[in-house]
Amino acid sequence: MKPDPNSLVFDSSVLAHQTQIPSEFIWPDHEKPSLDPLELPVPLIDLAANPEASAEVAELVGKACRSHGFFHVINHGVDNALIGDVHRCVDQFFQQPLVDKMKAPKKTGEHCGYASSFTGRFSSKLPWKETLTFQYSAAENESHIIEQYFRKTLGQDFAHMGKICQEYCHSMSGLSSRIMELLGMSLGVEPSYFKEFFEENESIMRLNYYPQCQRPDQTLGTGPHCDPTSLTILHQDNIGGLQVFFDDEWRSIRPNPGAFVINIGDTFVALSNGRYRSCLHRAVVNSKSSRKSLAFFLCPKRDKVVRPPQELVDPNNPRRIPDFTWPTFLEYTQRHYRADMNTLHSFSKWLQQLKS
């Protein structure tokens, strides 16, 4: 698929070197990046800690999730060589000419495929980034879903990349199970409750590429938003860029190649009956180098009803969000609403209107 010559095209091989960037990528003054933000202190959770320390670890996780929803995990068991392979896949894919990347276009209203910024969907406050998004399933009968996607959309030359990404997502699914046990403990429900809820997860993997920008003070790599998914497992490269809005200011999360950044998404906020927070975050860019990150978005199986366990509902904590399924929420964010800090609240009102 070739880009429409009449529409705005985000060709990073050209735009990365331009000293004047298109107006569609210039953000309002009050949303432009802040210089030298303070660092956000996030807890470092050791997944290899002695089982006797599990209550203390769960307490640390709970405190972070009630505050801003972000923490690091180390000793996670994911092979460092595999992580490096996926980062090299990101380079391999995004360094292609635009016409080759467009072989896997993200279609309007869908979430999978290649996207060069949000051109075609929005006309202002566009993010300075490219993404490749694909579906993962933990179901046994879909154990090669990513490999098949790469082979079908990008050709046999990318079959090996599909195999690497498939293996990586399988590792992310396993890691998410361990994190869900901790989240269950931290909320005072059975450790297996959320783990079992996501056993057959149908999740989303996104490869993010933020090209260098000659005017990083004018734009954002990703605009302020809360993730609508359940849990995000992010691996950053050595180039900083992730920022979280906390205590009325933007704070940075320093890259730690040996750790994954974990953050709570809106769907888990609903599962926790609002006890945990999904915090506003964004990504900034720089003029010296490109930046990349790997984001695994944990999502429940499509027919799972999202509702909190009964232990988290009582007269002092009534239900906050009506029942929903993940595909309904996903469709809302893809077709009706641009994700921001109010996504879950707006979705809840939308659900109530549908049912009235």
Side-chain angles (χ1 to χ4, degrees), residues 311-335:
E311 298 97 307
L312 301 181
V313 182
D314 57 47
N316 294 323
N317 296 279
R319 285 289 302 275
R320 306 278 184 96
I321 310 295
D323 288 358
F324 65 91
T325 58
W326 165 241
T328 304
F329 195 12
L330 177 63
E331 181 184 7
Y332 180 74
T333 63
Q334 294 298 308
R335 294 183 181 272

Side-chain angles (χ1 to χ4, degrees), residues 27 31 220 222-226 250 280-283 339-341:
W27 285 64
E31 293 187 90
L220 291 170
T222 300
H225 68 287
C226 297
W250 288 102
L280 198 65
H281 56 285
R282 69 183 186 183
D340 60 14
M341 64 186 299

Side-chain angles (χ1 to χ4, degrees), residues 58-274:
E59 185 177 343
L60 281 173
V61 168
K63 184 177 179 181
C65 293
R66 288 188 297 271
S67 177
H68 47 61
F70 280 78
F71 55 95
H72 274 128
V73 294
I74 56 171
N75 292 321
H76 40 69
V78 181
D79 187 353
N80 286 329
L82 176 60
I83 297 171
D85 285 344
V86 183
H87 276 282
R88 281 185 285 276
C89 286
V90 174
D91 290 331
Q92 177 190 357
F93 178 80
F94 288 104
Q95 287 173 7
Q96 297 182 103
L98 178 62
V99 68
D100 291 331
K101 289 179 282 192
M102 290 298 292
K103 290 177 181 177
K106 179 181 179 296
K107 298 176 182 177
T108 303
E110 298 182 2
H111 65 281
C112 289
Y114 167 75
S116 61
S117 186
F118 284 155
T119 57
R121 185 179 178 194
F122 303 111
S123 58
S124 65
K125 298 200 299 187
L126 296 180
W128 195 267
K129 71 172 179 180
E130 301 174 84
T131 59
L132 179 64
T133 307
F134 41 92
Q135 191 77 33
Y136 167 78
S137 173
E140 288 186 12
N141 64 344
E142 297 199 69
S143 59
H144 299 284
I145 184 173
I146 297 175
E147 294 176 62
Q148 292 166 355
Y149 172 79
F150 273 79
R151 190 178 292 110
K152 180 180 178 181
T153 58
L154 294 168
Q156 189 61 35
D157 289 347
F158 283 86
H160 182 62
M161 181 175 172
K163 185 176 182 180
I164 291 170
C165 290
Q166 180 78 54
E167 184 180 351
Y168 181 81
C169 287
H170 181 71
S171 295
M172 293 299 98
S173 182
L175 176 56
S176 70
S177 293
R178 299 169 67 189
I179 295 169
M180 281 297 154
E181 286 183 315
L182 278 177
L183 290 172
M185 290 176 62
S186 70
L187 284 164
V189 302
E190 282 293 324
S192 61
Y193 182 88
F194 294 119
K195 177 182 177 180
E196 291 173 358
F197 185 84
F198 289 98
E199 263 183 353
E200 291 188 291
N201 67 84
E202 296 179 1
S203 298
I204 298 167
M205 182 71 204
R206 178 167 296 153
L207 311 179
N208 295 309
Y209 184 76
Y210 303 92
Q212 65 187 103
C213 176
Q214 300 307 312
R215 296 303 305 271
D217 58 322
Q218 298 289 307
T219 191
L220 291 170
T222 300
H225 68 287
C226 297
D227 294 339
T229 47
S230 300
L231 188 80
T232 302
I233 305 178
L234 182 79
H235 192 271
Q236 304 190 78
D237 62 10
N238 290 314
I239 310 298
L242 175 61
Q243 296 184 349
V244 178
F245 195 69
F246 181 67
D247 277 351
D248 294 322
E249 64 179 339
W250 288 102
R251 306 281 193 93
S252 66
I253 293 185
R254 182 187 301 177
N256 181 342
F260 286 101
V261 182
I262 311 298
N263 70 274
I264 298 298
D266 286 340
T267 298
F268 196 84
V269 173
L271 284 169
S272 74
N273 199 30

Side-chain angles (χ1 to χ4, degrees), residues 322-324 349-356:
D323 288 358
F324 65 91
K349 290 177 63 177
W350 183 73
L351 280 178
Q352 290 166 348
Q353 289 171 356
L354 288 179
K355 294 176 181 180
S356 62

